[in-house]
Amino acid sequence: MSRYLRIGGGVGLSLAAAWSVDHFVFCDATMRTLRTAKAGALVALDYKLNFVPGSFDAVHKHAADVILDTCKKNNGLYIKFAQQIATFSAILPPQWHEFRTLYDQAPSVSYAKVVEVIKQELGSHPDELFDSFEQVPIASASIAQVHRARVKGTGELVAVKVQKPEVKVQVEMDLFAFRVVVSVLERLFDLPMSWTVKTIEHHLRQELDFVRECRNAEKAAECIQQVPSLAASVHVPKVYWNLTTSRVMTAEWIDGVNFGHVETVEKTWSQDKIAGMMTVLVDLFSDQIFRTGFVHCDPHPGNILLRPHPLNPSNPQIVLLDHGLYIQSSEQFTQDYTRLWTSLFSHDISTVEEIVKRWGINDTQMFAMGTLQKPWSKRSGVSSTMTDVFDSTYGRPLSSDPEIRKKEMYEMQMKMKERAKKYLADTDRVPRELIFVGRNLNIIRSNNKVYGSPVNRINLMCDWAVKSQNARDAPLQPPSFATKFKNLVTHPSTTLLPALYMSATLFVVSIAFHATRWWNTVRAWWRWVLRKDELSGKKKRVGFEEVMEESLRRGVYEQTGVLLDENAFEA
């Protein structure tokens, strides 16, 4: 008996020692990895044993819940991982769409740990560097938290972003776990996903370097200053370099309203002012995508503030925050992406197909629809979505018979899976910029949508693409009027017709946009007459972005027979 007690005691002490080392030295990195391994094993077994007709939804739901719960428990970089998994939501089953609701929020660390990090990085206690330093953070995310402070001597109000101490220790094992999770998902769904991992890892590592974030902020500000209309309406907080290191960042404090606080914004500014603000926001990111190639990849509402413009308080000014995640697109990609957009609207099919095929993408139509986030076909080009302004029903409804319905849902999922597998012909050739530019586009669309689509995003972005392409194509010596006229007469198919087609397309899309706004006005008036809002307790807005989503769902259904989940396009 004593022998077994000694063995048991030894095992217990070993486990306790291992736990202590992992907890106090490695900040639970091993435990988090084991938790992830357990989740992966459970999900794999569930799909292997229980994925049979009639149980698809339940298995998908259980798997998504297990992975999501693991990300929440592990916190830290796992919140970022969950957000990256969400970028695959368009091809994953609807049950996995819940990953998009996971905001980058986390419990804060103690003030003592904050002091420790600041002393390590800046060499002094916060009391020696600041006149005041609020011990309770005003925000806490997965890798850092923000404290408000006043600079010593000047009294300037600043935001001090402090990296959480455990992140530095956990990062390598967390990234390894991320690779494993994506690999498991790829095998389970038999879909190409792991080709994105190296790029995502690279940029996640960059997010941990606050010096790089500060450089990104200053470069973004420089790019904004190059465009007068943006310089007057967009502000990037100033960096305090003497109080900044790779783990501590100090920047100008800005009082403003979070972009996501829609009710507060709408009470502060009129609809015309909000539409003007949204135009600037779309212009800002269009300029990044089509001109500079230096793109903010996480412009969600939490990273945008609105404040009364210092020179004209009746107008809102946009304050752009959190510059940790940027990409610098290659000049070749920026040119190709700009040409792609203009060609989609001018119906230059050969150019569209040439670019898409060169990028290793096998499905031109699906890629075009995903890029524009509206229907597009080789035959008719960009759809106006006019039919969807007044009609959002389409397609053959699923059977009411439970057994037949299960079979139909299975067939749809298999069709979508096969289409997704064929979509990427050669992942080695796919520009990695597409991962983050696509994310930016989806968030721009979502930002416009949340305010009821006050601007025609599609036309605004196309205008920027045209201006950027014209600026690149313009020769040093502009052609004379005679030369332009000669080219117009001798080569109408390459000069006149594309321009006319693009103008006609944008005109029709513009009509659809204004028709949507007019129809919403009529419906809002009718609801007010009937007091429907008061009865339901809700105020539902259906703007042009929703109309385009419905139109895109219709297009996908008509092309593939797959009826996408109504939340498939949420950011």
Side-chain angles (χ1 to χ4, degrees), residues 217 220-221 224-225 230-238 252-254 280 284 303 305 307 309-310 317-321 323:
I224 289 168
Q225 290 301 313
L230 297 178
S233 305
V234 182
H235 180 73
V236 175
K238 180 182 72 173
E252 171 189 10
W253 175 269
I254 301 291
V280 171
L284 169 63
N303 288 338
L305 292 181
R307 68 170 180 179
H309 197 292
Q317 184 185 52
I318 294 169
V319 180
L320 194 59
L321 306 175
H323 302 270

Side-chain angles (χ1 to χ4, degrees), residues 391-404:
D391 175 25
S392 61
T393 61
Y394 58 88
R396 177 178 58 84
L398 294 174
S399 172
S400 58
D401 184 286
E403 294 304 315
I404 297 177

Side-chain angles (χ1 to χ4, degrees), residues 188-263:
L188 288 176
F189 296 113
D190 193 20
L191 292 170
M193 297 173 70
S194 59
W195 64 276
T196 66
V197 168
K198 284 187 178 179
T199 302
I200 291 171
E201 275 191 29
H202 173 70
H203 285 87
L204 284 175
R205 289 181 193 278
Q206 289 187 344
E207 276 197 87
L208 301 180
D209 183 357
F210 293 171
V211 170
R212 176 177 287 275
E213 178 173 349
C214 291
R215 289 176 183 152
N216 288 344
E218 292 193 339
K219 184 174 179 179
E222 289 173 7
C223 293
I224 289 168
Q225 290 301 313
Q226 295 166 6
V227 183
S229 62
L230 297 178
S233 305
V234 182
H235 180 73
V236 175
K238 180 182 72 173
V239 174
Y240 288 74
W241 282 105
N242 61 318
L243 296 170
T244 294
T245 69
S246 61
R247 297 173 68 207
V248 176
M249 172 182 171
T250 305
E252 171 189 10
W253 175 269
I254 301 291
D255 283 309
V257 180
N258 187 298
F259 182 89
H261 297 167
V262 178
E263 290 187 7

Side-chain angles (χ1 to χ4, degrees), residues 388-437:
D388 297 295
V389 172
F390 306 104
D391 175 25
S392 61
T393 61
Y394 58 88
R396 177 178 58 84
L398 294 174
S399 172
S400 58
D401 184 286
E403 294 304 315
I404 297 177
R405 186 182 181 89
K406 289 175 184 176
K407 183 179 179 181
E408 289 177 333
M409 288 298 295
Y410 175 75
E411 290 174 353
M412 279 191 179
Q413 290 188 17
M414 292 302 103
K415 283 182 180 180
M416 190 64 177
K417 177 180 174 180
E418 289 306 311
R419 189 84 183 233
K421 286 171 65 177
K422 294 176 181 177
Y423 181 76
L424 298 175
D426 184 356
T427 55
D428 290 336
R429 288 191 288 145
V430 178
R432 275 28 183 183
E433 292 96 332
L434 284 175
I435 301 170
F436 294 106
V437 169

Side-chain angles (χ1 to χ4, degrees), residues 368-568:
M369 292 167 69
T371 298
L372 296 175
Q373 296 174 324
K374 72 190 312 302
W376 182 91
S377 69
K378 296 180 183 180
R379 180 177 58 83
S380 59
V382 179
S383 165
S384 69
T385 70
M386 279 294 292
T387 55
D388 297 295
V389 172
F390 306 104
D391 175 25
S392 61
T393 61
Y394 58 88
R396 177 178 58 84
L398 294 174
S399 172
S400 58
D401 184 286
E403 294 304 315
I404 297 177
R405 186 182 181 89
K406 289 175 184 176
K407 183 179 179 181
E408 289 177 333
M409 288 298 295
Y410 175 75
E411 290 174 353
M412 279 191 179
Q413 290 188 17
M414 292 302 103
K415 283 182 180 180
M416 190 64 177
K417 177 180 174 180
E418 289 306 311
R419 189 84 183 233
K421 286 171 65 177
K422 294 176 181 177
Y423 181 76
L424 298 175
D426 184 356
T427 55
D428 290 336
R429 288 191 288 145
V430 178
R432 275 28 183 183
E433 292 96 332
L434 284 175
I435 301 170
F436 294 106
V437 169
R439 174 181 171 83
N440 179 287
L441 285 175
N442 197 34
I443 297 176
I444 293 172
R445 179 198 56 75
S446 181
N447 288 345
N448 188 35
K449 176 181 174 181
V450 76
Y451 281 92
S453 310
V455 300
N456 186 345
R457 173 182 57 86
I458 291 290
N459 282 27
L460 287 174
M461 294 191 70
C462 185
D463 285 343
W464 273 92
V466 171
K467 285 191 291 186
S468 297
Q469 181 167 313
N470 289 344
R472 289 191 185 93
D473 295 343
L476 295 177
Q477 182 64 38
S480 64
F481 176 78
T483 303
K484 289 181 179 179
F485 183 76
K486 180 181 178 181
N487 290 337
L488 187 63
V489 173
T490 57
H491 304 289
S493 62
T494 58
T495 55
L496 181 61
L497 294 182
L500 289 176
Y501 197 98
M502 179 180 290
S503 297
T505 300
L506 294 177
F507 177 70
V508 173
V509 173
S510 182
I511 290 176
F513 169 74
H514 289 291
T516 304
R517 293 182 65 80
W518 172 82
W519 183 241
N520 280 333
T521 301
V522 171
R523 290 197 301 179
W525 175 81
W526 188 245
R527 284 199 306 268
W528 180 82
V529 170
L530 298 179
R531 296 296 192 270
K532 282 194 172 182
D533 285 342
E534 294 178 10
L535 293 173
S536 67
K538 295 181 179 179
K539 182 182 179 182
K540 181 175 176 59
R541 287 191 284 193
V542 180
F544 193 50
E545 297 291 355
E546 284 89 347
V547 170
M548 287 195 292
E549 287 174 9
E550 284 298 316
S551 188
L552 180 54
R553 291 179 72 227
R554 178 200 296 269
V556 171
Y557 180 80
E558 290 173 350
Q559 292 298 319
T560 68
V562 176
L563 187 62
L564 293 179
D565 181 72
E566 63 180 9
N567 296 316

